[in-house]
Every structure is written in structure tokens, then in C-alpha cells.
Amino acid sequence: GTSTNTAVALAKLGLPVSFLGTIGDDQYGKYIQKDFKEQGVNTADLIVDPKLNTVGVFAFIDENGERYLWGWPRVDQAFKVLERDKVPFEKIEAADWVHSSGMSLVYDTSARTEIIEIFKKAYEAGVPTSFDLNLRVDDGKLDPEYEKAVREVIRYTTYLLGSGNDEFKYLGEGRDWRENAKALVSDERVVIVRNGKEGSYAFSKEGEEYVPAFSVKVEDTVGAGDVYNAGFISGRLAGMNLRECLIRGNAVSGYTVMRKGARNSPNTEELEAFLAENK
């Protein structure tokens, strides 16, 4: 899923990445473990529960490269479960960065509860946190309890990422995504708006940054935002300023959408070559 795409993209950029989450002891779960190992993601904190089902997400791509997603199985889904006694809080508090996706907050489950607690612990320990909204909007509205959980985790988020019209549009009294994004900025929080081919924005207490997208031929948009996150995070960890991080995020995403599948994000050399070719 989305955080997995970000983890793999970070590993391909040379960062040491560990993944915390629950899978089943089934075909999809074994595939995930194999994929992580091949991609260099640490699986020491991957929880395997034979009572649960690992969800495979099928992506259907139209002629414009846009994707439509459907998950299976529909019952006893592992991604909804995260038991507190299996969360290594000491590792979280010692991490360089903690990232998660809003997909795990959609349902009122242990995953929702524990991700909020993980972010709280990391934030209080001074660890940078990033949260990708991945909002699920039903008929133009957010479920009140779901929105409450999202806003709770935002309290402990250093870098909040999402798209303007699909996500930030629904996080305010009005429907102006720009104003809603700005309203979520604080002394400790930067808001990043990814708007695909329209480029990306950073809103902070220092003001606003905008970087246009790279002009590329789109083959497949699956995971475009997920790998953008990896580009941005890797840049920030390398000490780059916000503008440089936006460029890096756009570049990783631009490189990836030219190819089929979210696993085709660039390694460091491929990213540098892309940036040199697309100045």
C-alpha cells in the first residue's frame, strides 16, 4: 500500500528504512516480505498474524494513466490491526523520521489508535514526522470520527502532505484548498500540497514556495504521491531547503509516472540523471 511505496522509494534512494505494520501469513503477506527484502527495507518490526488477511490492491489504469483501486480480501484485513504491545516505541523515539499514511486511519480500529500514539511519542521526542492524508471522502463529506482522528494525528505532524482538490479541499469550513492548507500551518508544521501535473507547494510560517511539475509522458500514476513523499523526505534529511525538496519530490514522482508501477521509482543515480536531463 501507500506507506510501503514510500518505504521502498526511500530505500532505493539509499536511506535505511524499517517498516512497522501487520500482514497475514498468506500468499500476499509472503509476497510483501519477499518484496521488502529485495528492495532493502528492514522487516524486523513487520508483524505476521496468521488469523488475518493481507490485502492485495488491484490498480486498473485507464488510457490517460489514471488509476482506480480495489482491494481484496474484504474481511479480517491485516492493515487495520496494530497491537500496542508489538509497537517498538523505543525505536520510534530514536528514529530520524517517522512517516505514515491516512489510509490506516480510515477505520476505527487499533491501527488508527496506535498510529496516533506513535506520532505523539515521536513528536514529543523531537523526531520529524510526516503524514500523507490519503483522505477518503464519501459524497463530499468526511465521516466525523474519521476527521477527528485525522486532525488528532495532524497535531503531532511536522510535514503534512496531500493533494489540493482531493484532500485539503475537505479540511476546512470552505472549499478553498489553498486557504485550508494555510490554516493548518503552525510554527512546527509545514504543509505540502502535491497537485500532480500542476506542480507542488510548500506553506510554512516563512511563506509559500511553488515548484512546477516536470513535463513528462505519463504511463501510470499509481503511487505518484507515495514516491513524491520519498523524494521530499530524503531531501529534508539531506539538509535541503523546502524549494529543493519540492523539486526533488516532483522529480521522483515525474520519473516514476513515466513507467508502469510504483516500484519503478529511481535510485540515486537515476534521479540525478533525470534532474540533469530535465533542468
Side-chain angles (χ1 to χ4, degrees), residues 26 64 138 201 215 259 261:
D26 50 20
N64 298 314
D138 187 12
Y201 299 78
S215 179
R259 296 156 177 81

Side-chain angles (χ1 to χ4, degrees), residues 27 50 62 108 136 140 217 252:
Q27 180 181 357
D62 68 16
D108 186 11
R136 292 300 178 261
K217 184 178 184 300
V252 172

Side-chain angles (χ1 to χ4, degrees), residues 39-74:
Q39 301 289 357
V41 176
N42 188 330
T43 59
D45 299 305
L46 193 61
I47 302 161
V48 181
D49 188 334
K51 301 187 299 297
L52 301 173
N53 295 318
T54 312
V55 178
V57 179
F58 297 84
F60 301 91
I61 315 300
D62 68 16
E63 64 275 11
N64 298 314
E66 291 299 321
R67 85 286 189 274
Y68 304 89
L69 307 177
W70 195 80
W72 177 265
R74 311 296 288 180

Side-chain angles (χ1 to χ4, degrees), residues 235-247:
R236 211 62 177 147
L237 284 169
M240 296 181 184
N241 62 35
L242 283 177
R243 180 173 181 80
E244 292 168 331
C245 291
L246 295 182
I247 294 171

Side-chain angles (χ1 to χ4, degrees), residues 13 20-22 27-28 40 48 53 62 66 70-71 75 83 86 113 119 146 154 160 164 173 185 222-223 226 238 250:
L13 291 172
L20 170 66
T22 307
Q27 180 181 357
Y28 291 153
V48 181
N53 295 318
D62 68 16
E66 291 299 321
W70 195 80
V75 297
E83 296 176 7
K86 294 180 180 177
T113 303
F119 266 61
Y146 169 43
I154 288 173
L160 180 63
E173 293 183 4
V185 171
V222 170
D226 307 335
N250 284 351

Side-chain angles (χ1 to χ4, degrees), residues 195-200 210-216 246 250-251 254 274 278:
N195 277 351
K197 65 182 180 181
E198 297 173 13
S200 55
Y210 167 73
V211 172
F214 290 92
S215 179
V216 298
L246 295 182
N250 284 351
F274 178 88
N278 294 274

Side-chain angles (χ1 to χ4, degrees), residues 157-165 168-169 176-195 199-211 228 232 236 242-243 246:
T157 297
T158 318
Y159 297 94
L160 180 63
L161 302 107
S163 67
N165 283 321
F168 285 105
K169 177 180 178 179
D176 186 326
W177 67 259
R178 182 186 294 271
E179 292 306 313
N180 291 348
K182 288 180 178 179
L184 291 166
V185 171
S186 73
D187 290 339
E188 294 81 28
R189 185 183 312 115
V190 174
V191 174
I192 307 298
V193 179
R194 308 171 312 226
N195 277 351
S200 55
Y201 299 78
F203 298 98
S204 69
K205 281 296 185 181
E206 283 68 50
E208 175 183 333
E209 286 279 3
Y210 167 73
V211 172
Y228 178 103
F232 180 88
R236 211 62 177 147
L242 283 177
R243 180 173 181 80
L246 295 182

